[in-house]
Amino acid sequence: MDHRAPSPAMPPGWPARIRAVAAGELTPPVAKPSATVVLLRDGAAGPEAYLLRRRTSMAFAAGMYAYPGGGVDPRDAEAELGWAGPAPEEWAVRLGTDVRTAQAVVCAAVRETFEEAGVLLAGPDAHSTAPGRDWTAERAALEAHELSFADFLRKNGLVLRSDLLAGWARWVTPAFEERRYDTWFFVAAMPDGQDAARTVGEADRVAWLTPAEAVAGHAEGRYGMLPPTVTVLRELLPVRSAAEALAAAAGRTVEPILGRAEVAGDRMTVRWDGYDELTIDGDFPA
């Protein structure tokens, strides 16, 4: 009797695109740089992660649970802004990129966490964070690109606290996907005195879940997640507190993880190196 776990299902749009890329009939879109943050708070059963269920009307990952995040704003690469914690030069080494990109990626992580979750990883100085208050207008202006993040910090006398972030992973959407992202994943602890948003424009539900709850719910089909999302939660299973998660991040290597497809007749296999549990394999006739 075969006791192996069944292969994950292949999304319906993948086979045709995989064939087209393999045949040279389809040029993969360029992966857009982005950042996402796993916000953690300590609960009775251990750390809990803040997850958003994306609305079914969204063009990408509709109905999926995800972390706060979004695309890099090119303006942040050149911006002069208040900055506390590891400098962009240090982040460039950590994230495996150039200094300008590293600054923009870290800014995106902090900005998107603020826009989507209302959590601000910034403060009046290098040793404190902004107190909780109603930032609705500022968040809306940032989301509409009416206000740059550097200008927001400057107007409010704040400095970005890059020391509150820890780099965890970097995932690149497979070449055959219609929308592609080069996403850096960070972990961060909820700042004292702040609360995460209970309603989010791009989400129809928010939830605080322990990694164990989220992983089990995903396995049971209750929480839909893309491979990177559930993989990060699996990697967080051993940690016992938000502080321990940040400490664990220091020992991790942040290198691109990219799913690759192989085609042999009707047989298709998609693999992520080092993540055998994500492998999709089967016959998919044209």
Side-chain angles (χ1 to χ4, degrees):
M1 182 180 295
D2 189 350
H3 294 284
R4 291 176 299 178
S7 177
M10 181 173 288
W14 280 15
R17 294 186 63 85
I18 288 172
R19 284 192 179 88
V21 171
E25 301 167 353
L26 180 66
T27 301
V30 175
K32 297 179 180 179
S34 62
T36 190
V37 177
V38 187
L39 276 175
L40 297 168
R41 71 179 186 186
D42 291 326
E48 299 171 337
Y50 182 78
L51 289 157
L52 314 169
R53 187 172 67 183
R54 294 170 61 83
R55 295 186 182 276
T56 54
S57 58
M58 300 296 292
F60 181 77
M64 296 288 183
Y65 281 81
Y67 312 113
V72 166
D73 185 342
R75 293 177 295 180
D76 292 334
E78 304 287 354
E80 294 184 8
L81 69 164
W83 188 289
E89 289 79 7
E90 294 179 61
W91 278 107
V93 175
R94 176 65 176 146
L95 302 179
T97 187
D98 60 87
V99 175
R100 292 177 66 258
T101 301
Q103 175 170 312
V105 168
V106 172
C107 281
V110 176
R111 185 190 68 251
E112 291 291 333
T113 301
F114 180 52
E115 284 183 20
E116 295 197 346
V119 174
L120 185 52
L121 302 176
D125 54 53
H127 308 289
S128 59
T129 53
R133 51 158 282 192
D134 184 2
W135 295 101
T136 303
E138 291 83 356
R139 289 167 62 197
L142 285 166
E143 188 171 2
H145 300 284
E146 298 168 353
L147 178 68
S148 73
F149 193 56
D151 286 341
F152 162 73
L153 293 175
R154 193 176 302 114
K155 289 180 179 180
N156 290 280
L158 301 172
V159 295
L160 180 152
R161 291 282 308 276
S162 82
D163 57 309
L164 300 180
L165 289 170
W168 190 267
R170 178 183 178 184
W171 287 75
V172 183
T173 312
F176 51 80
E177 282 270 43
E178 185 175 359
R179 290 178 173 81
R180 301 188 64 218
Y181 300 92
D182 183 353
T183 306
W184 281 266
F185 285 70
F186 299 85
V187 292
M190 272 292 298
D192 292 336
Q194 295 190 32
D195 293 314
R198 293 178 175 84
T199 58
V200 178
E202 295 183 354
D204 60 12
R205 184 187 176 195
V206 300
W208 284 100
L209 298 172
T210 66
E213 290 172 332
V215 170
H218 173 72
E220 295 164 2
R222 292 185 289 111
Y223 302 130
M225 298 179 199
L226 294 178
T229 307
V230 68
T231 298
V232 170
L233 288 165
R234 288 176 180 142
E235 292 167 342
L236 287 169
L237 285 172
V239 304
R240 294 166 295 180
S241 67
E244 190 172 306
L246 270 67
R252 294 180 56 84
T253 300
V254 181
E255 292 181 347
I257 301 166
L258 174 67
R260 304 180 189 280
E262 301 170 5
V263 182
D266 288 338
R267 192 79 179 179
M268 290 189 187
T269 306
V270 182
R271 291 189 176 90
W272 286 260
D273 291 343
Y275 298 89
D276 292 344
E277 71 278 4
L278 300 178
T279 299
I280 300 173
D281 181 68
D283 290 327
F284 301 92

